[in-house]
Each structure stands twice: as structure tokens, then as C-alpha cells.
Amino acid sequence: MTKDRQGPSWWMLLTDVVLIMASVGIAYWLRYEVQFLRDVDFDHPLSTYVPFGLLYTLLMMMMFQIDRVYKHRQGRAWLDQTYSIINATAKSVVILLAATFVTQPREYSRLLLLEAGVVSILLLSIARLVENVVIQSLRARGVDVIRVIIVGAGEVGRTVMRTIAARPELGYEVIGFVDDNPEKGENDLGRFKAMGGVHNLPGLISENDVDGVLITLPWMYHRKIMSIVNECNRREVEARIVPDLFQMSLSRVDVDDLGGVPLIGVQEVGFDRRTLLMKRAIDVTGALLGLMLGAPLYALIALAIKLDSPGPVLFRQTRVGTKGRRFEIVKFRSMHMDAEMELDRLQDQNEVDGPIFKMKEDPRRTRVGRFLRRTSLDELPQLWNVLVGDMSLVGPRPPTPEEVEGYQEWHKRRLDGRPGMTGLWQVSGRSLLSFDESALLDIYYIENWTLWLDFKILLRTVPTVLSGEGAY
């Protein structure tokens, strides 16, 4: 869009150089003053390490360029940035260790080189964390965001929406979307506001402070696409076209070049067998550890439920899993015995759009149930569902059969993945999100699934649960 975020600014480079040099000084202090890890029986002045510090800094900056540490820096999650920093630092330290092994300089401590690498990772990752917090705080106030209008609310348009919803760090603010299909152009998709047909676009650009327009129409409408591009150019608003790539039925794209000629490869979205086995192994290990280590806590919760209200400790309900397969989910009971029978009476008080029921002050909850819901402790028995293979630690939310009956066709895509105890929608707002937004996030997870994404979601689950935000 109109705001350049492709490369590092001078202050980003200067900050990294200063921190890398500082890490050498801190490592020197740890080695010779504190004598951390091992005592030293010789002493060398800090000036001896100045050439090393300069070479180390140069190597680090080179590795940062090779590993693309600065590429789309403001659009990357902190864990991804830290991973790149660790990778670049490890390469730099290994090269320096190899050089000292060959030259064998007497005045250089190899342990100091390792300490400098560890300190560099800590300083640079903390700096990235502070930077991300500041940027996110500014973007929450509307500063440094890219305000866009999306043209088209079909599969490609929804792909763009779910990417923006799943990755707020990209800094996009969607003012709304337009579509000539009345069913799409007049109905909001969660936070994304429907603004009518494409003919409204010129007026919307004039009335709003728009940085750009994202066109997600199928290529069969190439004349309309070019008309929209020309209109945006006249109004000095940048237009970007999102290629549909066969209506996004194939959504993983590999871009390469042949002597400057672009080559685009597409692969069917799928789950590699080896990584699926690894994911299953992690699920089984995590479930076993959770069930064994949490046994005393489960006993206390069971006792509290029994003392609070009559009825069983566990609540069982039919849910829909992968490819529509039904299974019985297990949770700690948080409502009165006749809660299911009272649901029809409370439907008019539903606080969430779509085929699900959510009510912040649900009268069916017990006193203990309110606490269990707020802390998500009611979901711990689902570790059994994970162990037997019905669910995963991370995945889409498992719906009820009644909810699935109310799905639109595009909602059903979220049934392609194994349901999970936690997921992208849970760490992005939970019950504060509309049904359409949670569906967008679940589909994004399925289309972009990796073990690394699972790891990040698990890490984000801890503070989300502790804060209790969106839990009811």
C-alpha cells in the first residue's frame, strides 16, 4: 500500500548495531568481572575485543540480511522475529568459533563468544518485543495503520479478511467491503462491514480516509477490475489486485523465477503425513501429562461441583469433528441439570450472531460453573478427547450438530481440521468475536497450519486463560 514497510529504517539498523556491540561489552563483563560459569586466571583489557566486536557486528548484520530478518519486520509476530534472530546469531557465533579454532588467538575467550551470542539474542528479542508493543499500541489508536476497502466478498475476499483478522500485526484496518451480490454486499462478516455494491466505491473512497483498495474479484471480471483500478488511480488511491488462483481452491503458492520470468507453483492444501504424526505425538504426550499431573486439581474441581449443585461431575455432549464425524465431548459440568431444556427459552437473549448461543450472564450456570468458565477449567477433561484422537490440543472449535445445520457453505471449511481444546479464535478474542470472525480464524488456521503455528497458539493460550478475556 502507500506506506512502505518493506525494509528497515535507519533507526532500526542503528539500534541493532548498538545492541550487538553492547552484547560484546556485557559478555566481557560477565567473563572477566563476574567470571560467570568459569573462573579466569588471566586478564585482557576490553580494547582487545574491539576488533572482535566489529567483526561480530558485521557478521550479524550480514546474517540478518541473508536470513531476511528485516523483511516485513513490522508484519511479523514476535516469536517469528526471535527465531530469525536466534538463527542469524547462531551462524555468526559458529563462524567466529571456527575462525578462533583455526587462528587460535591467545587473547580471545571462546566462552565469551558464546556469552556474547546469548546476550545478543536476549537484547535483540527484548527490543523487538518493546517495538511490537509500541507499534500495536499506536495501531490500536489508529496510528500507522493501512486503511483499506475490500472489493469482493467471495472466497478470495474472505481469505484476505481472515488473514487480516488472524494477523493484526500486519497493521491493516478494513473500513468495509463491497460486493454486487446483495447477499454478500448487505451482510456484515463480523467486524468487517458490508457497504453495498461496487458502485458505492467512489463515494466510499471520498468519504473515508482510505490508503488503498484490495480487489478480490475473479479474473472473469477483468473489465470491472481494470475499471476499479483506473478509478482508484484518478483518486490517487493505490489499488492492489489479489489473484484468485482458480478461486483459491489451491491456496498454497510458491513463487520462483526463471531468469527474471516469474514462475508460480500451486499446491493443494494438505497435511504432510510426517508432521501429522508429530502433531499426534505431541497431542498424546500433552494429554497424558495433563491428565496425570492435573489429577489432584481435577479431584478438587469434582468435589466443588458435587457440593455446589446436584448432578454428575462431567457433562457430555455430541459435537462434530473432522469431516463431519460426530463424537462425545467431555467437560466439567458448569450448568444446572436441566440447562439443555432451557435453551429454547433463552434463544431471544443470544448475544452472538450466527448459529451459536452465547450469553454473558447465562442464568443456567452454577456458582462453581461461573468460576470454571471464566478460568476455562471446565475444558480440562477434553484432554481425554485428545488422548483418544477425537480432538487435538490445537484446532478449530468443535461445533454441535445443531450449529452445523445453520452453517453457510463457506463455514463448512472449518470442519476440515481436527477440533482442538484451544485455537486461533480462542487466543484472538474468544466469545468477544462474532461467529463469522471465529469461522474466518479457524479456516485461516486450517489453510496455514504448521507445528510452529500450533506452538505459538499454545504459548498465547496461557496469558489468554489467565486474563479471562472473552470467557463466559
Side-chain angles (χ1 to χ4, degrees):
M1 296 277 93
T2 57
K3 301 179 182 180
D4 183 15
R5 296 178 178 173
Q6 300 304 312
S9 62
W10 65 269
W11 65 266
M12 289 180 179
L13 295 172
L14 179 61
T15 300
D16 285 352
V17 169
V18 170
L19 291 177
I20 294 169
M21 292 294 292
S23 68
V24 177
I26 294 173
Y28 176 86
W29 174 74
L30 289 172
R31 187 72 189 100
Y32 290 101
E33 301 297 332
V34 180
Q35 298 192 21
F36 182 64
L37 294 180
R38 183 186 297 178
D39 294 338
V40 292
D41 50 9
F42 57 90
D43 189 17
H44 293 293
L46 179 60
S47 59
T48 305
Y49 285 91
V50 170
F52 158 74
L54 294 174
L55 178 59
Y56 177 59
T57 303
L58 179 62
L59 271 174
M60 286 284 284
M61 300 309 291
M62 289 175 57
M63 291 302 168
F64 277 12
Q65 293 298 325
I66 293 173
D67 289 343
R68 298 184 176 184
V69 171
Y70 295 116
K71 186 174 179 60
H72 304 296
R73 173 169 169 171
Q74 294 186 23
R76 300 176 67 190
W78 178 73
L79 286 173
D80 292 327
Q81 293 176 330
T82 302
Y83 175 80
S84 297
I85 290 170
I86 293 173
N87 195 33
T89 304
K91 292 177 182 177
S92 301
V93 171
V94 167
I95 291 174
L96 286 174
L97 287 174
T100 56
F101 180 80
V102 173
T103 59
Q104 296 186 345
R106 287 182 170 271
E107 63 273 17
Y108 281 2
S109 166
R110 291 189 179 91
L111 184 56
L112 185 144
L113 306 185
L114 294 173
E115 291 173 343
V118 173
V119 174
S120 296
I121 292 171
L122 291 175
L123 292 181
L124 292 169
S125 60
I126 291 173
R128 296 299 193 275
L129 180 61
V130 172
E131 178 190 7
N132 289 350
V133 170
V134 171
I135 290 174
Q136 289 174 13
S137 177
L138 291 173
R139 287 176 178 169
R141 293 171 172 80
V143 179
D144 195 37
V145 295
I146 301 176
R147 294 167 55 83
V148 298
I149 294 176
I150 297 176
V151 178
E155 181 57 32
V156 184
R158 290 194 297 269
T159 299
V160 173
M161 293 179 203
R162 54 181 170 254
T163 301
I164 292 173
R167 300 189 59 190
E169 72 272 9
L170 294 174
Y172 282 87
E173 179 186 346
V174 178
I175 298 171
F177 63 89
V178 294
D179 195 296
D180 284 338
N181 185 334
E183 293 184 4
K184 298 175 181 177
E186 303 297 335
N187 296 303
D188 296 344
L189 283 173
R191 79 181 75 169
F192 304 107
K193 304 300 181 183
M195 293 182 163
V198 177
H199 64 276
N200 293 332
L201 185 61
L204 294 171
I205 293 175
S206 300
E207 297 166 5
N208 299 276
D209 182 18
V210 178
D211 294 313
V213 172
L214 300 179
I215 305 172
T216 66
L217 298 176
W219 280 113
M220 67 181 69
Y221 298 109
H222 60 278
R223 290 186 179 180
K224 180 176 288 188
I225 291 173
M226 293 313 301
S227 174
I228 294 170
V229 170
N230 292 333
E231 180 66 28
C232 291
N233 289 337
R234 283 196 296 270
R235 297 176 180 274
E236 298 182 348
V237 171
E238 186 175 3
R240 290 291 180 91
I241 303 171
V242 183
D244 60 354
L245 292 174
F246 314 110
Q247 299 300 308
M248 297 298 287
S249 60
L250 304 171
S251 66
R252 290 197 173 178
V253 182
D254 178 39
V255 181
D256 202 350
D257 71 276
L258 180 66
V261 178
L263 302 176
I264 299 178
V266 288
Q267 297 177 341
E268 185 71 46
V269 175
F271 299 96
D272 181 79
R273 181 175 178 81
R274 287 178 298 178
T275 50
L276 273 178
L277 289 174
M278 290 179 62
K279 180 177 173 68
R280 180 60 186 150
I282 293 171
D283 285 342
V284 172
T285 303
L288 284 173
L289 288 174
L291 289 170
M292 290 187 296
L293 297 178
L297 175 61
Y298 306 153
L300 289 174
I301 294 174
L303 179 62
I305 293 173
K306 274 295 185 183
L307 293 175
D308 182 49
S309 63
V313 170
L314 297 177
F315 170 73
R316 302 174 185 274
Q317 187 181 47
T318 300
R319 296 293 181 98
V320 180
T322 311
K323 303 297 183 182
R325 187 178 65 84
R326 298 190 179 191
F327 68 98
E328 193 174 64
I329 200 172
V330 185
K331 303 174 69 174
F332 280 123
R333 182 173 60 83
S334 60
M335 294 186 176
H336 297 295
M337 282 291 295
D338 56 352
E340 292 289 291
M341 298 173 61
E342 296 181 27
L343 183 58
D344 290 339
R345 178 176 60 83
L346 298 172
Q347 280 294 345
D348 60 342
Q349 301 181 53
N350 189 7
E351 298 175 10
V352 181
D353 295 330
I356 59 174
F357 180 85
K358 289 287 183 180
M359 189 176 173
K360 194 168 186 178
E361 299 297 333
D362 197 323
R364 301 174 299 164
R365 289 180 301 178
T366 63
R367 288 175 299 175
V368 171
R370 292 189 184 93
F371 174 76
L372 295 179
R373 286 289 189 92
R374 188 168 61 252
T375 57
S376 298
L377 291 175
D378 63 313
E379 298 181 5
L380 288 177
Q382 293 174 34
L383 288 169
W384 173 255
N385 292 114
V386 175
L387 186 63
V388 299
D390 293 328
M391 295 178 62
S392 175
L393 292 176
V394 183
R397 172 187 170 275
T400 65
E402 293 75 21
E403 292 172 8
V404 175
E405 290 178 3
Y407 276 11
Q408 297 178 35
E409 192 61 35
W410 70 271
H411 291 151
K412 296 177 182 178
R413 180 77 172 89
R414 64 191 301 276
L415 300 177
D416 289 351
R418 181 176 293 179
M421 291 184 62
T422 185
L424 193 54
W425 76 273
Q426 289 97 324
V427 299
S428 301
R430 306 168 86 178
S431 295
L432 299 177
L433 300 178
S434 69
F435 173 75
D436 283 336
E437 282 186 78
S438 65
L440 288 171
L441 290 169
D442 281 339
I443 296 171
Y444 175 89
Y445 170 81
I446 292 170
E447 294 183 342
N448 297 272
W449 174 80
T450 62
L451 289 174
W452 177 239
L453 179 58
D454 276 3
F455 177 68
K456 290 192 292 183
I457 291 173
L458 287 171
L459 284 183
R460 290 174 59 186
T461 298
V462 176
T464 300
V465 170
L466 291 177
S467 69
E469 183 181 7
Y472 57 84

